[in-house]
């Protein structure tokens, strides 16, 4: 029920003694209170100060605490919080809590308090607002500690834990999460199946804490426990959080395939919840696709297709296209023009691996025809520094993808004999294939059968020039050099 609903509690039956004048006076009083409340609502936008005074005047008109006073206090508190009058907001919130014991029903009060705390949480934008919010939570817990309202207790403590997570107060957060876990367990210490929804939300907060503190061991154990909870119908945003953290965990382990699966599930849940975080997680999904070296377009699925042309992820869309085409120049250009991508620490941390893969493939292609090349030439071609080129070449040599030696003084790289042999083997295979094709055409093709033609192609040497024969016989060839 919203705060603006004109909800009135059912009054108990009264014994009327037909004193019409007294009854009329009572009705007139109710009308005055109602008019005052709605007059205050009309002032909210243009004259918030007067509106607050008018709202606060409503409870004084009631002989006993009632619904109109309760609703008026809620409106006044919200205005005071928006106007940063935090001390006054806390004072009037404490007054509001006195209404929940007798003036309004339990269900109505619980829903109203939850709505109020949600409002405070969404509108807290600075340190002072957060301190005020913490006081709201504390006052709520104090007020309801003796009412045996477990749902409100769990919800309020979960909000308090979320506040401490935002503040990175991990010590108090750890204690609060331990308390919440205990409240969601049975006497034998196992998870209470009737509180699965609350339990998943608690898991999500703890997983976020371990993700922020990079405690992957604890995160992994808790992540697996959370996925085993079957007795809950959680809000999709909660599952979005759990899956997002799982994806990041798998990324740190270089388990790209599982990370891709988790990010997709996270995106799907955030999308269902209408959360803006879906855009960021979609970027993570695209990033994982590149790290996997997959040729599958991440926007081919029914869920992601509507976001393919979304301007918020256009840079990532172009980046994955350049990556899958091995277009290093376009890739570097896109990354240079969209440096805001690196504002996300997770993308900044992992995009380096993608860039390294792109540059490594580009270097391999550039040096393939040569036996000796200069680092400066590669640096110029890829528009990167010489130390970066040296690092990539060193990696290729260590990974045995390039057989060569770096001469740091001369700034050159010499390709070894193994590289010569590989090239010679490739040339021989190519020659053999060409000879077989030519022999088939000349001997089997109509009008081309000739013993002389067949004889002339009996050995690979027939396709070599004299200089080629000399190189093939000696196992050596003239080194081809890069320009510069």
């Amino acid at each position: 029920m919203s705060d603006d609903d004109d909800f009135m509690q059912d009054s108990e039956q009264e014994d009327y003694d037909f004193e019409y004048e007294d009854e009329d006076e009572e009705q007139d009083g109710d009308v005055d209170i109602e008019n005052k409340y709605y007059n205050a609502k009309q002032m909210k936008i243009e004259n918030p100060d007067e509106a607050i005074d008018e709202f606060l005047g409503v409870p004084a008109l009631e002989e006993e605490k009632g619904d109109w006073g309760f609703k008026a206090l809620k409106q006044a508190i919200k205005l005071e919080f928006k106007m940063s009058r935090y001390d006054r907001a806390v004072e009037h919130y404490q007054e509001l809590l006195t209404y929940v014991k007798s003036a309004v029903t339990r269900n109505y009060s619980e829903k109203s308090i939850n709505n109020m705390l949600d409002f405070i949480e969404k509108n807290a934008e600075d340190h002072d607002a957060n301190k005020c919010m913490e006081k709201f939570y504390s006052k709520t817990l104090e007020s309801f500690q003796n009412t045996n309202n477990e749902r409100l207790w769990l919800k309020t403590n979960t909000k308090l834990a979320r506040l401490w997570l935002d503040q990175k107060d991990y010590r108090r957060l750890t204690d609060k999460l331990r308390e919440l876990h205990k409240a969601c367990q049975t006497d034998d210490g196992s998870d209470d199946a009737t509180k699965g929804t609350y339990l998943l939300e608690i898991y999500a907060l703890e997983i976020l804490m371990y993700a922020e503190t990079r405690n992957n061991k604890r995160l992994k154990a808790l992540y697996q426990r959370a996925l085993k909870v079957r007795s809950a119908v959680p809000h999709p945003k909660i599952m979005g959080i759990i899956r997002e953290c799982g994806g990041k965990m798998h990324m740190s382990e270089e388990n790209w395939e599982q990370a891709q699966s988790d990010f997709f599930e996270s995106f799907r849940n955030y999308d269902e919840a209408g959360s803006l975080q879906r855009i960021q997680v979609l970027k993570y999904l695209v990033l994982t696709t590149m790290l996997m070296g997959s040729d599958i377009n991440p926007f081919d699925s029914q869920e992601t297709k509507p976001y393919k042309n979304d301007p918020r992820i256009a840079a990532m869309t172009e980046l994955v296209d350049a990556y899958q085409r091995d277009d290093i120049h376009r890739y570097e250009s896109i990354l240079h023009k969209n440096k805001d991508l690196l504002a996300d620490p997770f993308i900044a941390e992992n995009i380096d691996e993608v860039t390294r893969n792109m540059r490594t493939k580009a270097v391999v292609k550039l040096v393939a025809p040569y036996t000796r090349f200069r680092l400066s030439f590669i640096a110029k071609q890829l528009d990167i520094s010489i130390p970066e080129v040296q690092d990539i070449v060193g990696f290729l040599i260590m990974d045995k993808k390039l057989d060569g030696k770096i001469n740091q003084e001369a700034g050159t790289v010499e390709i070894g004999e193994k590289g010569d042999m590989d090239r010679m083997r490739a040339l021989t295979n190519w020659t053999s294939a060409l000879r077989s094709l030519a022999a088939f055409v000349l001997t089997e093709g109509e009008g081309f059968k000739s013993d002389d033609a067949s004889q002339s192609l009996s050995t690979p040497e027939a396709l070599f020039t004299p200089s080629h024969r000399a190189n093939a016989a000696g196992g050596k060839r003239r080194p081809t050099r890069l320009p510069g």
Side-chain angles (χ1 to χ4, degrees), residues 107-254:
N107 286 340
Y108 178 41
S109 63
E110 180 183 334
K111 190 166 186 178
S112 296
I113 294 301
N114 272 323
N115 288 341
M116 175 66 73
L117 296 181
D118 286 341
F119 172 85
I120 298 299
E121 184 178 8
K122 290 175 183 177
N123 288 276
E125 298 177 349
D126 54 36
H127 176 73
D128 290 338
N130 285 332
K131 294 297 290 183
C132 176
M133 179 164 53
E134 189 170 347
K135 290 179 181 179
F136 269 69
Y137 295 154
S138 298
K139 297 293 182 184
T140 304
L141 292 171
E142 289 173 9
S143 176
F144 285 88
Q145 65 181 353
N146 297 322
T147 63
N148 199 30
N149 191 327
E150 190 175 37
R151 284 187 307 177
L152 188 59
W153 183 91
L154 282 168
K155 288 179 180 178
T156 305
N157 271 301
T158 301
K159 290 178 184 293
L160 186 57
R162 192 181 303 122
L163 173 63
W164 287 339
L165 176 67
D166 292 340
Q167 295 176 349
K168 302 188 184 302
D169 190 342
Y170 300 125
R171 183 186 61 79
R172 286 200 292 176
L173 175 59
T174 300
D175 292 340
K176 181 59 66 178
L177 289 172
R178 189 180 296 116
E179 182 183 4
L180 285 166
H181 271 300
K182 188 175 180 180
C184 292
Q185 292 176 341
T186 58
D187 293 337
D188 63 0
S190 59
D191 291 341
D192 188 344
T194 65
K195 298 174 182 174
T197 301
Y198 296 112
L199 190 61
L200 274 177
E201 190 165 357
I202 296 165
Y203 278 149
L205 288 170
E206 194 166 4
I207 285 171
L208 279 170
M209 179 181 71
Y210 290 140
E212 289 183 5
T213 56
R214 296 181 178 272
N215 188 340
N216 273 4
K217 184 177 179 180
R218 296 293 298 274
L219 191 158
K220 191 169 187 177
L222 203 62
Y223 164 80
Q224 292 171 344
R225 284 178 63 185
L227 293 185
K228 291 178 181 178
V229 176
R230 294 288 183 267
S231 59
V233 184
H235 192 283
K237 185 176 180 180
I238 298 301
M239 290 311 300
I241 292 171
I242 293 173
R243 288 289 193 171
E244 179 187 349
C245 290
K248 290 180 177 179
M249 174 192 70
H250 290 305
M251 285 282 276
S252 68
E253 298 172 344
E254 298 188 4

Side-chain angles (χ1 to χ4, degrees), residues 51-87:
I52 290 173
D53 292 337
E54 195 76 358
F55 279 129
L56 294 176
V58 171
L61 296 178
E62 292 183 316
E63 293 183 4
E64 294 181 358
K65 291 179 180 178
D67 186 66
W68 287 113
F70 185 72
K71 293 198 294 184
L73 280 171
K74 286 192 296 181
Q75 295 284 354
I77 292 166
K78 289 181 178 181
L79 284 173
E80 288 173 330
F81 190 85
K82 278 188 173 181
M83 297 171 70
S84 302
R85 300 176 183 178
Y86 301 127
D87 290 340

Side-chain angles (χ1 to χ4, degrees), residues 326-344:
D326 284 341
D327 190 340
I328 181 64
H329 295 295
R330 184 163 177 253
Y331 175 90
E332 294 280 5
S333 175
I334 294 166
L335 203 58
H336 182 73
K337 291 178 182 177
N338 297 275
K339 292 184 177 180
D340 57 310
L341 283 174
L342 305 182
D344 185 309

Side-chain angles (χ1 to χ4, degrees), residues 291-304:
L291 286 169
M292 286 179 67
S294 174
D295 293 330
I296 299 175
N297 192 320
F299 295 98
D300 283 344
S301 71
Q302 182 179 352
E303 292 86 353
T304 58

Side-chain angles (χ1 to χ4, degrees), residues 26-45:
E26 184 176 341
Q27 289 177 349
D28 289 341
D30 289 342
V31 171
D32 290 341
I33 294 172
E34 184 177 353
N35 287 338
K36 192 173 185 66
Y37 175 80
Y38 284 111
N39 284 337
K41 284 190 69 175
Q42 292 177 351
M43 301 177 188
K44 281 172 59 176
I45 297 177

